[in-house]
Amino acid sequence: MAGHALLSASGAARWINCPPSARLTEKMPDKGSSYADEGTVAHKLAEIKLRRNLTVCNSKQREVLDKELEQVKQDQYYNSEMEHTIQEYVEQVAERFMEAKARSEDAQILLEERIDLSEWVPESFGTCDVVIISEGVLEVIDLKYGQGVPVSAEGNPQIRLYGLGAWNEYSYLYDISEVRMTIIQPRRDDISTEVLPIDELLEWADNEVRPAAQLAFDGKGDFSSGDHCKWCLAKANCKARADKNTEPLSYQFKDPALLTIDEISAILFIADQLQAWAKNVKDFAYDQALAGVVIPQWKLVEGKSDRAFKDAEAAKSALLAAEFTLDQIMKPQEMLSISALEKKHGKKTIAGVLKDLIIKPPGKPALAPETDRRPKLNSAENDFADIEMEDLL
Ligand code: SF4
């Protein structure tokens, strides 16, 4: 089997929504990223810690794990923040395993399990971080080490496929009626779980996954752009995405001089999408130009740069020799920010020491779509309406 499936579980949101993207991008080089490399190290650390803490190891296996741990600790991405956040993740997984053991004493935990998905998705497989099997309930857990983008388990095709594949693989062990699919993002302090009866999960697999997977495998279906494009290797030069994003430019605005508030509302919906797409196109063009491709009417030029000391120690000596005092040339020692303290010493430790000394002032108002989970802030109009209502009472 190849190391990476054409229709991988991690790419499922993309190929389910845009089936032909799978064949379009299959030969495109994936440059990877430092975030992905950092995530790989965090996953390795998590696996080692989970094996040491939650599985039975003989002395030889323990020795191997110790060696692997030493290797992880030498990695450029390993740091105290990773140590603390992965430890928190391990504790959360342990809690869930204990819950499963409370349901059935012989509950099992499996780590880094290769899951076969070919029953629904041609030639597909994936690796699930954690599978916990107990009487009646199967839980799959996926660690997301990134902190930039929140990832919800609700309706998430990747974790659903892991749940489905794990059920298919292990349902002979127990009578499983419910599948729990959990995503843990320890750096965002976020745990999200979707719970589905197995019948509902199978219905989704048969009605949505299987037909989309067949289209994707055959290179058929319609291109369809959306949020899923951000993970697509064709995101910068895909014609369908460009067409969709430039569609509003041909929109016939009714008022000749000014946009109406309804037209502004429609533009706001695509503004983020346009911004992300513009960045993808710019990055792509930049890489092409660096590789020697001539882009008509564009050229590479030297960018801005900041001045720097040729030799910082020599500059300091020169300033002191010129009778500047240390206070005049050095920054006073500043306390680290809350996040920096947490990164260095762990969230739990800092929360314990500073429990009553951390406040969260109200954030600046931000414009968000109506579907946003945060409650609506009171506008001046609403405040006025409240006063009127109070006056009437
Ligand atoms: S960029 Fe979007 S629309 Fe284009 S192929 Fe990829 S997923 Fe499909």
Side-chain angles (χ1 to χ4, degrees):
M1 260 190 193
H4 193 72
L6 171 75
L7 305 180
S8 64
S10 58
R14 175 182 48 76
W15 56 255
I16 289 176
N17 286 296
C18 178
S21 65
R23 291 289 176 198
L24 179 75
T25 58
E26 75 178 311
K27 300 230 158 58
M28 288 184 178
D30 185 353
K31 285 196 299 178
S33 71
S34 55
Y35 299 115
D37 294 342
E38 185 185 45
T40 305
V41 178
H43 272 80
K44 188 69 208 166
L45 179 62
E47 185 194 346
I48 296 168
K49 281 176 174 276
L50 287 169
R51 285 200 194 284
R52 284 163 58 118
N53 287 300
L54 301 182
T55 65
V56 182
C57 300
N58 58 34
S59 58
K60 206 161 186 190
Q61 289 165 323
R62 195 157 272 276
E63 223 174 85
V64 172
L65 288 173
D66 288 347
K67 269 192 192 146
E68 287 179 351
L69 184 61
E70 277 319 303
Q71 275 170 6
V72 166
K73 288 186 173 177
Q74 300 305 317
D75 195 282
Q76 56 167 322
Y77 291 109
Y78 173 83
N79 52 34
S80 58
E81 184 194 10
M82 187 179 280
E83 179 65 37
H84 292 304
T85 47
I86 293 302
Q87 185 56 39
E88 281 164 21
Y89 163 75
V90 168
E91 285 164 20
Q92 283 150 356
V93 174
E95 238 171 68
R96 292 185 177 237
F97 185 38
M98 291 310 132
E99 281 170 26
K101 275 189 167 283
R103 275 191 296 273
S104 44
E105 245 177 57
D106 55 349
Q108 293 195 34
I109 184 163
L110 305 161
L111 305 172
E112 294 295 314
E113 275 296 297
R114 194 169 165 109
I115 305 276
D116 183 3
L117 300 167
S118 57
E119 172 77 22
W120 295 273
V121 185
E123 298 178 11
S124 182
F125 56 90
T127 306
C128 185
D129 296 334
V130 179
V131 181
I132 299 174
I133 315 157
S134 63
E135 190 57 47
V137 180
L138 179 143
E139 177 158 20
V140 286
I141 301 176
D142 192 32
L143 162 68
K144 299 276 184 218
Y145 191 65
Q147 62 177 344
V149 185
V151 188
S152 167
E154 287 292 329
N156 184 308
Q158 180 184 7
I159 191 81
R160 279 189 177 190
L161 283 175
Y162 290 151
L164 189 69
W167 172 82
N168 201 29
E169 204 100 31
Y170 304 109
S171 54
Y172 71 91
L173 286 175
Y174 292 104
D175 185 18
I176 292 159
S177 55
E178 182 181 285
V179 180
R180 296 184 186 176
M181 293 150 290
T182 297
I183 291 177
I184 301 183
Q185 270 185 294
R187 285 162 98 197
R188 291 184 65 89
D189 267 339
D190 198 33
I191 302 182
S192 155
T193 300
E194 182 180 54
V195 181
L196 287 181
I198 185 60
D199 293 348
E200 217 174 292
L201 192 60
L202 287 170
E203 203 178 297
W204 170 77
D206 288 335
N207 298 337
E208 287 186 44
V209 177
R210 201 193 301 276
Q214 198 54 56
L215 283 175
F217 194 73
D218 296 339
K220 293 181 179 161
D222 294 327
F223 287 101
S224 171
S225 76
D227 202 39
H228 50 272
C229 293
K230 64 173 173 262
W231 310 117
C232 181
L233 291 174
K235 65 185 175 212
N237 53 348
C238 166
K239 187 77 169 55
R241 192 180 185 208
D243 286 346
K244 177 82 186 289
N245 285 336
T246 51
E247 214 176 70
L249 302 178
S250 60
Y251 187 67
Q252 294 292 310
F253 296 115
K254 292 178 208 121
D255 191 299
L258 296 172
L259 296 172
T260 66
I261 205 74
D262 286 342
E263 286 164 343
I264 298 241
S265 161
I267 291 168
L268 282 173
F269 273 108
I270 55 155
D272 286 347
Q273 185 68 21
L274 282 179
Q275 212 172 8
W277 174 57
K279 184 174 181 317
N280 296 154
V281 173
K282 273 178 121 172
D283 291 348
F284 176 79
Y286 178 74
D287 287 346
Q288 293 288 301
L290 278 184
V293 175
V294 176
I295 302 175
Q297 302 180 50
W298 289 84
K299 62 182 177 183
L300 280 177
V301 294
E302 189 178 320
K304 281 185 197 159
S305 71
D306 292 329
R307 290 174 305 160
F309 293 117
K310 202 157 107 190
D311 178 338
E313 274 309 309
K316 186 176 161 190
S317 303
L319 287 163
L320 293 175
E323 297 192 352
F324 283 93
T325 64
L326 274 175
D327 285 351
Q328 288 172 315
I329 63 166
M330 307 293 281
K331 267 192 194 167
Q333 283 213 334
E334 282 175 28
M335 192 155 98
L336 293 177
S337 68
I338 297 171
S339 335
L341 283 168
E342 286 175 341
K343 275 187 186 178
K344 217 168 163 175
H345 307 289
K347 286 195 174 115
K348 268 193 190 165
T349 313
I350 295 304
V353 177
L354 299 179
K355 44 185 178 297
D356 300 326
L357 295 170
I358 295 177
I359 51 155
K360 196 164 189 311
K364 209 174 137 196
L367 199 57
E370 240 167 11
T371 49
D372 193 282
R373 285 192 292 176
R374 289 165 292 183
K376 185 181 173 184
L377 280 184
N378 261 356
S379 64
E381 195 185 296
N382 287 346
D383 287 346
F384 185 60
D386 289 347
I387 290 166
E388 279 187 331
M389 189 56 82
E390 280 164 16
D391 288 346
L392 287 172
L393 293 171

